[in-house]
């Protein structure tokens, strides 16, 4: 019951940021409208729901977003830092079957991080949980990932520390355009587009 209530509150607070309303950039508008808030019922959704059952609504919502992001980005590599469930892998790969998937656990050392991050291909998608030594990992990632990459940061509104960290990331010179979806944040490393943070009612 808690998620529907919280979801309604968040939606009402962000109502004026729905479906790209007021966004001047054509690229950002298309991304919000046709990737973040795309309501098209992809046929894989039904297959994945049968294959991966028992997910709560919030997790399923994020999984479907990750499917769309992988489908949009068509990455050569997908990196998952401390995922809470294997469900993310299935949705990412369903969105882009050609991608190589790397799972980073808390058993991996900074040297392991470097090894993975330095060999990824173009248009990499990186998903990060705010757990353990995430800030150190992300700092390494920002130094090594190609500029065509996209980073997903989960639970950016978890607490004051996570909000502060998110604010520091969107101000980071290594980051270009960013999207605040409340449940997660999306960072593009391409700095050819004018740097701006967009609040989205997701």
């Amino acid at each position: 019951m808690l998620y529907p209530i919280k979801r309604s509150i968040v939606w009402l607070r962000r109502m004026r940021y729905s479906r790209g309303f007021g966004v001047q950039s054509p690229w950002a508008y298309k991304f919000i409208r046709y990737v973040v808030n795309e309501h098209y019922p992809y046929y894989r959704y039904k297959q994945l729901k049968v294959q991966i059952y028992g997910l709560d609504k919030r997790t399923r919502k994020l999984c479907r977003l990750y499917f769309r992001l992988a489908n949009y980005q068509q990455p050569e590599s997908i990196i998952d830092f401390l995922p809470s469930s294997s469900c993310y892998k299935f949705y990412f790969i369903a969105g882009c079957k050609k991608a190589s998937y790397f799972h980073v656990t808390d058993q991996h050392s900074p040297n392991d991080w470097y090894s993975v991050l330095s060999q990824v291909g173009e248009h990499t998608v990186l998903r990060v949980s705010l757990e353990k030594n995430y800030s150190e990992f992300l700092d390494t990632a920002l130094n090594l990932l190609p500029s065509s990459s996209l980073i997903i940061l989960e639970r950016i509104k978890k607490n004051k520390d996570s909000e502060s960290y998110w604010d520091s990331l969107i101000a980071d010179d290594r980051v270009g355009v960013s999207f605040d979806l409340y449940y997660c944040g999306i960072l593009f490393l391409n700095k050819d587009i004018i740097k701006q943070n967009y609040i989205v009612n997701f």
Side-chain angles (χ1 to χ4, degrees), residues 9 26 37 50 52 68 88 93 95 130-131 139 151 166 175-176 186 190:
I9 294 172
N37 284 329
V50 172
I52 307 163
R68 296 193 299 273
Y88 299 139
I93 297 302
L130 290 179
E131 304 290 343
D139 188 59
I151 297 175
W166 170 250
V175 171
I186 300 172
N190 182 359

Side-chain angles (χ1 to χ4, degrees), residues 45-58:
Y45 284 175
K46 288 185 177 179
Q47 295 178 346
L48 288 164
K49 189 173 183 179
V50 172
Q51 182 182 2
I52 307 163
Y53 53 88
L55 298 181
D56 60 77
K57 289 185 178 180
R58 174 186 167 276

Side-chain angles (χ1 to χ4, degrees), residues 69-95:
L69 287 173
N71 186 53
Y72 167 82
Q73 187 79 341
Q74 288 297 299
E76 293 182 25
S77 309
I78 296 169
I79 306 172
D80 217 347
F81 179 78
L82 304 184
S84 58
S85 168
S86 61
C87 62
Y88 299 139
K89 176 181 178 179
F90 291 99
Y91 275 85
F92 274 132
I93 297 302

